[in-house]
Amino acid sequence: MSFTGNRRLIAPLALLGVASLALAGCAEGGDSTDSGSLEGQTVQIAGGITGGEADALQATFDQFTKDTGIKVVYTGDKSFEGNIVTKVTGGSAPDIAIVPQPGLLKTLVETGEVKAAPAAVEANVDANWSPDWKLYGTVDGTFYSAPMLANIKGYVWYSPAAFKEWGVEVPTTWQETLDLTKTIQEKTGAAPWCAGFASGDASGWPGTDWIEDLVLRQSGPDVYDQWVAGDVKFTDPEIKDAFDAVGEILQNPAYVNAGFGDIKSINSTAFGDVAAKVADGTCPLTHQASFLSANFLEAKTASGETPTVGPDGDVYGFVLPGIEAGSASIEVGGEFVTAFSDSAATQKVLEFMSTPEWADLRVSQGGSISANLKADPSKASSPLLTDAMKLLQDPNTTVRFDASDLMPSTVGAGSFWKGMVNWIDGRDTDTVLSDIQAGYDN
Amino acid sequence: MTAITTPVPAVDPRSKREVARQTARNEKDAQKRLSSRGATLVAILIAILWTIPTFGLFVTSFRPGADSNTTGWWTVFVNPGFTLNNYFEALNSGGTALSLGQSFINSLAITIPATLIPIAVASLIAYAFAWIEFKGKNMLFIFVFALQIVPLQMALVPLLSLFSRGLTINGVGIFPGFALRDVDHSFATVWIAHSIFALPLAIFLLHNFISEIPGDVIEAARVDGAGHGQIFFRIILPLATPAIASFAIFQFLWVWNDLLVATIFAPTSSLPITQTLNSLSGTWGNQWYLQSAGTFIAIVVPLIVFFALQRFFVRGLLAGATKG
């Protein structure tokens, strides 16, 4: 009896004791920023990149750490876009954040915690990137963030082998694309296009890429810029034209959704799942960014092999053609390296990440490309990515950043996404457009 | 004179027996109908339907990634192909700064203290609310109870700011803040955050239970010369064990499955398994099949806790529900 009593008495007391000791012990941990040399300092990077891409990113710092003694720790978080704002306002920002949207960069700058880019980084960006890219990292005239990686949005993925079999060629104009669609439909008797808009909270974004591509191609970069700035409204005829053009494919029951079902199945298909259908031949055409190449690594062809990505292989991509042949306008996405610390170690890392050497290191890890003009395209992991990089570096290419990433988040990451989903669900185009435009008032 | 005849309630013993027999028959009938072969079959059918998605996930976790990407898990019966690779790969590649194995350990280091601290604090507070008279007790209790309504998302930024910047009022430093950002494996912030968020419910549940303990027992102890300390440790704690255990299960499961609080408060090296699990599928979701394996690794601990403390679980659901 008294034994039990004592044990009951001791356990909670011991517990409290241990807890308070542990808390005190943790609280005493010092920070290491006061040492003079950079040796042994840690720079924390946070971003939304996870999985194999995160491992590849971390690997680019191996040699850097050996040379300078600065440890770089990357932490990936799938909900990065939401959490970083909380962390920064709460005073617990990482040293460096990899921000995937210029719109988010603007929000972060408004917290007052973002540090302007060091002079060395700005010099690197001036020398190595086109002025457009520098502009995306600039908020209110101050340059904050150097671009990191890039991807090209408007690829159409197809099977070169199947094209050869059907005797068709890669189209060079929008009209040819529609003709090609018709030809394939007649030859196979099945839908030629597949699409997937499902992406959790962000469902609908693959649709915004479609629209943006068509706005850029049909109405040109000037209208595109005004649209991004909000001067051209969603309800204006230029935007409606783009919806109608996309609708010729995505709203045509005979043209979609190859391998999945009817038009509405676009909304229930995860955006990455289309890769498997393109690989095994059930879906002849799909529109998705260059990063879809990562999804082919674990896909299978009809005969059960891993598909080869190449101009003569099982799958390959062409840039969605313009209205007229030869006019290369592409829509791109990318990340921006944003600093919340101005410690010497952080500046050193920032500077390193803006060099062509770093771009080469990351590109040769595979699966991604850089818009750095001095980076070597031949280091890219596939012929498609090499071509994509050359396209980005070509001074004749008209490059525009993903419009939905530039618009205010209530539209670009809100009503525009939702609008695309409703549009596929059968709501008429005019209602959808005024719904999206209403996002500006939120 | 006519006699007023009052109708005698006709208690016919035979019909009484008849009613009793009928009731018994009805009861037996209902019992039979509920435990009949048909009902059991329906119950089993529902159970199977309910388990199919989890079973599918389980099968997927053993299928090679390329198979999972191209065909549904049910095709495994026609075209079997199994591998343990997903488990190896999931354990060793995290998709973030930590691997799943490392963050598994972190999860334990977060969850166990984050369960014990609120229990230790809340049982003391609950005792005070139940058995110590002081001014404004009821108002204070209602205030604590009302705190449950505050969504924890609202507290994220202020609490984080307190931890990282400290608190200074009018230039007087009240709390310096933790300088934990670069410290490896520091869990203090997560423990404190989880404890704070758990306390209102913990106090409420334990208070309801502790206040039900008969006053006579406590009176008797007091007559024998026991102080508050002795009453708490020798009478209250042993008697409140079922309530404490059931709260412990809830808190353990909640902290183990928490993603938001840990992502916001934990430094990189201390991130729990939920964060790694979330990142496992990769930026473009191309490695989603690893998540199925990761899920079953993560599920092991909650299962152990649940089965070990199962008998308290249902009681926990009823804790505080019966007010005599």
Side-chain angles (χ1 to χ4, degrees), chain B residues 94-219:
Chain B
T96 174
L98 301 169
S99 73
L100 197 76
Q102 290 168 315
S103 59
F104 187 89
I105 309 286
N106 281 346
S107 260
L108 285 175
I110 289 172
T111 313
I112 295 171
T115 310
L116 296 180
I117 296 169
I119 288 176
V121 178
S123 56
L124 283 165
I125 297 175
Y127 171 72
F129 273 130
W131 295 107
I132 300 177
E133 288 305 322
F134 57 91
K135 228 178 158 188
K137 188 171 93 166
N138 285 338
M139 282 309 293
L140 198 61
F141 184 67
I142 290 171
F143 177 72
V144 170
F145 177 62
L147 278 179
Q148 284 182 71
I149 302 165
V150 180
L152 68 86
Q153 282 85 348
M154 280 187 57
L156 290 181
V157 171
L159 195 59
L160 190 61
S161 175
L162 180 73
F163 287 154
S164 51
R165 299 195 182 108
L167 181 65
T168 313
I169 297 177
N170 287 335
V172 184
I174 291 175
F175 171 66
F178 302 127
L180 288 177
R181 222 198 38 156
D182 290 332
V183 183
D184 272 353
H185 299 294
S186 61
F187 297 98
T189 46
V190 200
W191 290 341
I192 297 173
H194 273 304
S195 303
I196 290 174
F197 295 136
L199 276 178
L201 181 70
I203 293 170
F204 175 70
L205 274 180
L206 293 181
H207 168 268
N208 280 7
F209 198 93
I210 289 172
S211 64
E212 299 272 295
I213 292 168
D216 303 349
V217 180
I218 289 154
E219 286 294 303

Side-chain angles (χ1 to χ4, degrees), chain A residues 314-392:
Chain A
D314 298 308
V315 285
Y316 202 59
F318 59 84
V319 177
L320 188 73
I323 298 304
E324 279 164 32
S327 59
S329 323
I330 51 170
E331 191 203 351
V332 296
E335 304 99 355
F336 298 88
V337 185
T338 308
F340 295 98
S341 157
D342 46 14
S343 74
T346 307
Q347 296 204 349
K348 196 111 193 193
V349 175
L350 286 174
E351 196 185 332
F352 175 57
M353 290 178 80
S354 61
T355 58
E357 289 76 31
W358 185 85
D360 282 347
L361 267 176
R362 177 61 190 91
V363 167
S364 52
Q365 291 275 339
S368 61
I369 52 174
S370 167
N372 194 313
L373 298 173
K374 303 220 175 86
D376 181 1
S378 65
K379 287 204 157 66
S381 56
S382 72
L384 179 99
L385 294 179
T386 304
D387 285 353
M389 257 177 95
K390 283 186 186 147
L391 201 58
L392 280 176

Side-chain angles (χ1 to χ4, degrees), chain A residues 6-135:
Chain A
N6 274 337
R7 217 177 49 175
R8 298 269 185 223
L9 182 77
I10 288 163
L13 280 181
L15 172 71
L16 279 175
V18 168
S20 50
L21 270 180
L23 290 177
C26 289
E28 275 160 18
D31 59 352
S32 50
T33 44
D34 47 5
S35 69
S37 135
L38 302 179
E39 183 84 39
Q41 291 200 20
T42 303
V43 173
Q44 303 269 8
I45 305 184
I49 299 163
T50 60
E53 311 259 305
D55 295 340
L57 179 62
Q58 182 70 59
T60 59
F61 295 107
D62 289 351
Q63 191 57 44
F64 177 75
T65 304
K66 265 185 216 144
D67 294 346
T68 60
I70 301 171
K71 258 176 70 186
V72 180
V73 179
Y74 172 76
T75 313
D77 173 13
K78 278 239 160 157
S79 326
F80 171 79
E81 283 93 338
N83 290 338
I84 187 68
V85 182
T86 309
K87 284 213 162 192
V88 170
T89 8
S92 178
D95 295 315
I96 295 172
I98 296 166
V99 180
Q101 297 150 353
L104 180 61
L105 175 65
K106 196 156 175 270
T107 313
L108 291 173
V109 168
E110 280 162 10
T111 64
E113 303 277 333
V114 178
K115 300 281 185 286
V121 172
E122 189 160 3
N124 272 345
V125 172
D126 283 335
N128 302 334
W129 266 277
S130 72
D132 282 341
W133 281 93
K134 189 185 174 189
L135 213 59

Side-chain angles (χ1 to χ4, degrees), chain A residues 1-10, chain B residues 230 233-234 238:
Chain A
M1 180 71 191
S2 83
F3 172 71
T4 352
N6 274 337
R7 217 177 49 175
R8 298 269 185 223
L9 182 77
I10 288 163
Chain B
Q230 274 179 313
F233 287 117
R234 294 208 171 167

Side-chain angles (χ1 to χ4, degrees), chain B residues 274-314:
Chain B
T274 43
Q275 217 276 341
T276 327
L277 199 54
N278 191 26
S279 305
L280 213 52
S281 62
T283 318
W284 313 115
N286 47 317
Q287 287 185 305
W288 61 271
Y289 50 88
L290 288 185
Q291 266 176 337
S292 57
T295 307
F296 282 94
I297 296 171
I299 220 173
V300 168
V301 171
L303 279 183
I304 292 173
V305 169
F306 180 79
F307 284 118
L309 298 173
Q310 200 200 79
R311 63 201 173 96
F312 295 111
F313 200 70
V314 176

